[in-house]
Amino acid sequence: MAAVYKTLSGHSKKDATANGVPVKKNKQRVLILSSRGITYRHRHLLNDLYTLLPHSRKDAKLDTKTKLYQLNELADLYNCNNVLFFEARKGKDLYIWMSKAPNGPTVKCHLQNLHTTSELHFPGNCLRGSRPILSFDATFTSSPHLTLIKELLIHIFGVPKGARKTKPFVDHIMGFTIADGKIWIRCFEIRETTISKAESRTQPADTETAEKETIKAAGEKGDTKIGLIEIGPRFILTPIVVLESSFGGPVIYENKEFVSPNQIRSDMRLSKAGRYNRRSEQQIERKAKKGELGLQTGKERPFGELEDRVLFA
């Protein structure tokens, strides 16, 4: 069918050149897999991303967490040049490795505030296999490591034209925003609705505002309004380190402000232990005071010199 389609559409080798200059094709394929020990919510996120990225390939779980260089061999086996690896630890924490196989670089991020598509129950929806529009915050150009992360996100989440299982439609947007040193990722549907007569009468008088809110459609459809409706999933990535090569090599960037969840849980346990120790010391001090005053139960209070039984003995 592919050969018939190319023949009927009239594509040839000459179409691959523009003004005598060959056009470089964007050939990106993503390998998505996880480690052992992921929870059901992590698995649902992996399935959501696999559905949103038609140029991705999903593989079975990786048995090891130390020999990550084996992912380069898997990527070469499946003819993929990008790797998205989910590493689960202690059944609670989830780390995401984004790598450009086989030469790198690699970015390790901590995933937080995960909400899958099935949890959110948003009314938005998009066509399976459609291509997204990637929207990046202007903060990505403020520092070199953020620019590198932006380029890596483009290679992973940007679906190339004519890729496997893609459809020639663009009906959703993936937004990447930086706030508090974290990358907030959201997915929205581009919904186009026809403006009713009642809404057209109440349009703002300002022409610039009207142009932003409405877009005139061709034909007899009239005016249409474009809005964004969230689809899901939504999650937050905290960059930890950037490595020069694929799953190894020297560290290019390290986030000094990142605190591991193990350290946070340890501090919480220590704070609870400190409160328990203070309560125990207060109980010991209270018992000692009662013993000095002779108010402890089960023990006879010593007689004082001014008591009746001593004076009138």
Side-chain angles (χ1 to χ4, degrees), residues 31-46:
L31 178 63
I32 301 178
L33 72 164
S34 65
S35 65
R36 298 284 180 183
I38 62 171
T39 61
Y40 71 97
R41 300 180 73 243
H42 301 161
R43 187 175 62 254
H44 290 174
L45 173 64
L46 190 146

Side-chain angles (χ1 to χ4, degrees), residues 126-139:
C126 66
L127 183 66
R128 187 185 182 96
S130 60
R131 301 171 60 205
I133 297 175
L134 303 184
S135 174
F136 288 92
D137 189 7
T139 316

Side-chain angles (χ1 to χ4, degrees), residues 118-180:
S118 58
E119 291 178 355
L120 296 173
H121 300 291
F122 281 134
N125 196 3
C126 66
L127 183 66
R128 187 185 182 96
S130 60
R131 301 171 60 205
I133 297 175
L134 303 184
S135 174
F136 288 92
D137 189 7
T139 316
F140 276 96
T141 58
S142 60
S143 58
H145 74 278
L146 292 177
T147 306
L148 188 145
I149 293 174
K150 175 185 176 181
E151 190 67 23
L152 198 58
L153 290 173
I154 290 174
H155 287 190
I156 292 177
F157 292 97
V159 180
K161 184 178 180 181
R164 183 179 67 97
K165 297 182 181 179
T166 56
K167 295 180 176 61
F169 301 101
V170 178
D171 60 352
H172 62 284
I173 295 177
M174 294 195 70
F176 302 88
T177 309
I178 293 180
D180 299 331

